[in-house]
Amino acid sequence: MTQSKKKTAETAETTKTADTAETSGAHERQRSAVTAAQVLRAAHEQFAELTGLLPEGISRFERSEGGGWELEAEVVELARIPETMSVMALYELSLDTDGLLTGYRRVRRYERGRTGRTDSR
């Protein structure tokens, strides 16, 4: 290979590498800039997949101190007839900045028809 062809090949490879790096950087920026709707969809899908429970509503949705997301989801844990007697649960979900579920915990359980706290204290 002549010196000229070698230099042209090196230049093409450098340009290709730079283009790939730029594309990768743009992809990372897009990936980290998830919308609230995307976070909610991701939380719903991941939580349902892990627990088999389908969130009926989100009662809290906010950014956490680390840049991720904190949500509270209400789910039916035990369906009963009439529906007002169904056992509901409130779950706290944590997601990272990309919308990936990092943890969840049940905060409380209550009957659907009850308002406020159900304990007798």
Side-chain angles (χ1 to χ4, degrees), residues 93-104:
L93 291 79
S94 301
L95 290 90
D96 66 11
T97 55
D98 293 327
L100 298 175
L101 187 66
T102 58
Y104 69 89

Side-chain angles (χ1 to χ4, degrees), residues 1 19 27 30 49 53 56 66 68 76 83 94 105:
M1 188 185 273
D19 288 346
H27 180 65
Q30 286 177 339
E49 183 178 348
L53 300 170
E56 286 200 348
V76 176
E83 280 189 17
S94 301
R105 69 184 181 100

Side-chain angles (χ1 to χ4, degrees), residues 20-37:
T20 302
E22 286 176 20
T23 303
S24 176
H27 180 65
E28 289 300 316
R29 282 190 298 275
Q30 286 177 339
R31 203 170 146 221
S32 63
V34 294
T35 66

Side-chain angles (χ1 to χ4, degrees), residues 3 5 12 27 52 90 92 97 106 111 117:
Q3 191 68 13
K5 287 183 181 179
H27 180 65
L90 183 65
E92 184 178 88
T97 55
R106 184 173 59 203
E111 289 178 342
R117 298 193 68 72

Side-chain angles (χ1 to χ4, degrees), residues 8-121:
T8 302
E10 287 174 1
T11 303
E13 186 61 33
T14 303
T15 303
K16 183 178 176 183
T17 304
D19 288 346
T20 302
E22 286 176 20
T23 303
S24 176
H27 180 65
E28 289 300 316
R29 282 190 298 275
Q30 286 177 339
R31 203 170 146 221
S32 63
V34 294
T35 66
Q38 290 170 324
V39 170
L40 290 171
R41 271 192 298 276
H44 184 276
E45 291 170 6
Q46 293 170 74
F47 182 75
E49 183 178 348
L50 288 172
T51 65
L53 300 170
L54 296 174
E56 286 200 348
I58 302 295
S59 57
R60 181 172 70 99
F61 177 70
E62 62 189 9
R63 280 268 193 197
S64 64
E65 289 181 21
W69 302 91
E70 296 289 329
L71 292 84
E72 285 185 349
E74 293 180 284
V75 301
V76 176
E77 282 204 334
L78 182 60
R80 292 192 176 148
I81 299 174
E83 280 189 17
T84 55
M85 297 305 294
S86 293
V87 177
M88 303 292 292
L90 183 65
Y91 281 84
E92 184 178 88
L93 291 79
S94 301
L95 290 90
D96 66 11
T97 55
D98 293 327
L100 298 175
L101 187 66
T102 58
Y104 69 89
R105 69 184 181 100
R106 184 173 59 203
V107 178
R108 70 183 188 107
R109 292 178 83 184
Y110 56 96
E111 289 178 342
R112 184 188 293 266
R114 303 273 180 164
T115 58
R117 298 193 68 72
T118 57
D119 57 355
S120 58
R121 288 191 248 168

